[in-house]
Amino acid sequence: MYTQKIFGAKDMLLWTRFELYKFIIIATIEVLIFNLSDGIVQIPFTPVVLVGTAVAFIIGFQSNSAYGRIWEARQIWGSIVNSSRTFGMMTKDFINNEHAQNPISEEELQQEIKTITYRHIAWMTALRYAMRQPKPWEYVMKENTNKEWANKIYVPEFNIPFNEAITPYLSKEEIEHLQNKSNKQTAILYLQSKHLKKLKEKGLIWEFSFLELENVIEELFTHQGKSERIKNFPYPRQFASLLHYFTWLFILTIPIAIAAQFHDLGETLAEKTVGLDQWFVWLSVPFSIAVMWVFHTMNRIGRVGENPFEGSANDVPISTIARGIEIDLRQNLGEDTESIPNQFEERSYVQM
């Protein structure tokens, strides 16, 4: 998530520079062809405008859909924040000796609370790592300029191995239990429910308190399922394909169509200024480049938002959110500040 007011003009130009090079070449070649053919090779402006209108509508649809996916993802992880804080509060308050047949020491109670809290942190860790797993339709991070941005920002899931990240929160037996599980976050919630049931059977959790905790786990399953739905269901590829082809059809036809317009305008002005008609048509090159850049950049910005967990600078900052929850929960346990990890660093004004 980019945290500044706007992306700098320099950053935008660097981000789109490879496409800009292509547009300069395309526009120059087409205007040159138009000049060498004395205006015989040209495309009527009206059909090109109609194609551009269609592209603009599809880009608008894509942008709305992509923003909807980003906003839904942010809402889901906002709900995870609320449910996590509720779960941490309930865990600390509901686990006690009030209904226990065989009371245990305060140290043992605190250890049970810590184990459940840490297991919840492990669930968030497993979920965010699952969300960062690449899918066949995710391509944003494969583009050259996005790779450059990836080197500027810090995505914990791409730099810290999963086993290293989750080891501090689970026992050795639990880690071994997860090894052959394809959906590790689900397996962790199963372990969580099983542990709570054992505590209920010992009387360390009152039956109604147990039901309340189980309800929160049900909420976590719901949040997880919603997050996985966005991750595993792409923006419809038929719309993405149509937009790709229509955009390039417009890009490849607009320079020569604009050249004809500037040629006619140059001939009109030439009646008053001798020789202007020979050079005025070349002004169509920068104008064509500007139009191509605007349409393609709008298309590309929409594509960036299709997959809000991929790991780009515009994604939902699930790593930052999860680490913030961890800090809250561990402070709630009363741990020393030195033992609680710091928030993930922000690089180039991007939170991940």
Side-chain angles (χ1 to χ4, degrees):
M1 179 181 70
Y2 191 73
T3 59
Q4 296 298 292
K5 184 177 180 180
I6 58 171
F7 282 96
K10 179 181 178 181
D11 289 333
M12 285 294 294
L13 289 175
L14 288 175
W15 186 57
T16 58
R17 69 184 185 278
F18 293 117
E19 291 85 359
L20 196 57
Y21 298 154
K22 293 178 184 178
F23 301 154
I24 293 173
I25 294 172
I26 291 170
T28 303
I29 290 175
E30 292 195 18
V31 174
L32 181 61
I33 291 173
F34 178 86
N35 268 340
L36 293 177
S37 67
D38 292 328
I40 296 176
V41 179
Q42 62 175 283
I43 298 176
F45 194 68
T46 301
V48 177
V49 171
L50 293 176
V51 172
T53 303
V55 171
F57 274 115
I58 301 176
I59 287 177
F61 174 78
Q62 180 198 49
S63 298
N64 287 335
S65 300
Y67 181 78
R69 288 169 65 85
I70 292 175
W71 183 240
E72 184 182 3
R74 184 61 186 87
Q75 287 179 311
I76 291 167
W77 278 80
S79 298
I80 289 175
V81 172
N82 298 335
S83 296
S84 297
R85 289 171 176 165
T86 300
F87 187 73
M89 175 197 67
M90 288 182 173
T91 300
K92 190 170 184 181
D93 293 344
F94 289 174
I95 299 177
N96 52 58
N97 286 315
E98 186 176 349
H99 301 279
Q101 297 177 352
N102 299 304
I104 61 178
S105 66
E106 187 64 27
E107 291 75 15
E108 290 174 308
L109 282 175
Q110 293 304 316
Q111 184 58 45
E112 295 287 358
I113 294 171
K114 180 178 179 179
T115 298
I116 293 173
T117 302
Y118 271 44
R119 192 182 291 118
H120 179 75
I121 298 172
W123 171 76
M124 290 189 299
T125 302
L127 181 59
R128 61 183 173 87
Y129 270 82
M131 294 300 99
R132 298 294 193 203
Q133 290 297 312
K135 296 293 182 179
W137 56 81
E138 294 179 342
Y139 52 86
V140 168
M141 298 307 293
K142 297 178 182 179
E143 297 175 346
N144 290 329
T145 49
N146 287 326
K147 288 180 181 178
E148 293 175 355
W149 265 99
N151 293 327
K152 295 180 181 180
I153 62 181
Y154 179 74
V155 184
E157 294 78 19
F158 296 163
N159 293 275
I160 305 172
F162 172 74
N163 287 337
E164 180 182 334
I166 207 167
T167 295
Y169 310 114
L170 297 175
S171 65
K172 182 179 179 181
E173 293 76 16
E174 289 173 331
I175 292 175
E176 291 176 355
H177 174 76
L178 294 180
Q179 293 306 313
N180 62 346
K181 300 295 188 297
S182 57
N183 194 315
K184 293 178 172 51
Q185 55 271 24
T186 296
I188 291 173
L189 287 182
Y190 287 159
L191 290 173
Q192 196 78 291
S193 180
K194 185 177 180 181
H195 187 180
L196 292 174
K197 182 181 178 181
K198 287 183 178 180
L199 293 179
K200 188 261 294 185
E201 291 171 348
K202 293 178 181 179
L204 296 175
I205 299 179
W206 188 34
E207 290 187 3
F208 288 104
S209 299
F210 169 73
L211 293 176
E212 288 294 327
L213 287 168
E214 286 291 294
N215 286 336
V216 178
I217 290 182
E218 182 182 356
E219 289 180 10
L220 297 177
F221 270 121
T222 300
H223 303 328
Q224 174 186 317
K226 290 180 178 179
S227 188
E228 290 171 341
R229 181 189 67 218
I230 293 177
K231 177 67 177 180
N232 297 326
F233 186 81
Y235 174 76
R237 304 324 298 160
Q238 67 271 28
F239 293 114
S241 299
L242 283 175
L243 181 56
H244 172 77
Y245 294 128
F246 289 176
T247 300
W248 275 102
L249 175 63
F250 178 73
I251 286 172
L252 292 173
T253 55
I254 192 65
I256 201 165
I258 289 181
Q261 298 295 308
F262 272 81
H263 177 266
D264 294 343
L265 182 59
E267 287 187 338
T268 301
L269 295 175
E271 297 176 0
K272 299 180 180 180
T273 308
V274 179
L276 186 62
D277 58 329
Q278 299 178 7
W279 301 105
F280 196 80
V281 69
W282 285 101
L283 287 177
S284 63
V285 172
F287 280 90
S288 299
I289 292 171
V291 174
M292 290 189 286
W293 182 85
V294 168
F295 271 79
H296 191 276
T297 302
M298 290 170 61
N299 178 6
R300 191 173 175 190
I301 289 174
R303 287 188 284 117
V304 166
E306 290 177 9
N307 305 301
F309 303 126
E310 189 172 353
S312 74
N314 299 292
D315 282 0
V316 176
I318 59 176
S319 304
T320 300
I321 293 172
R323 177 53 61 85
I325 298 171
E326 177 182 353
I327 293 171
D328 288 346
L329 294 178
R330 294 179 68 170
Q331 287 178 346
N332 187 49
L333 291 176
E335 294 186 6
D336 295 332
T337 304
E338 292 76 15
S339 63
I340 300 175
N342 296 323
Q343 181 58 269
F344 292 120
E345 60 181 311
E346 179 181 302
R347 294 184 185 176
S348 298
Y349 308 110
V350 176
Q351 293 179 351
M352 296 306 300

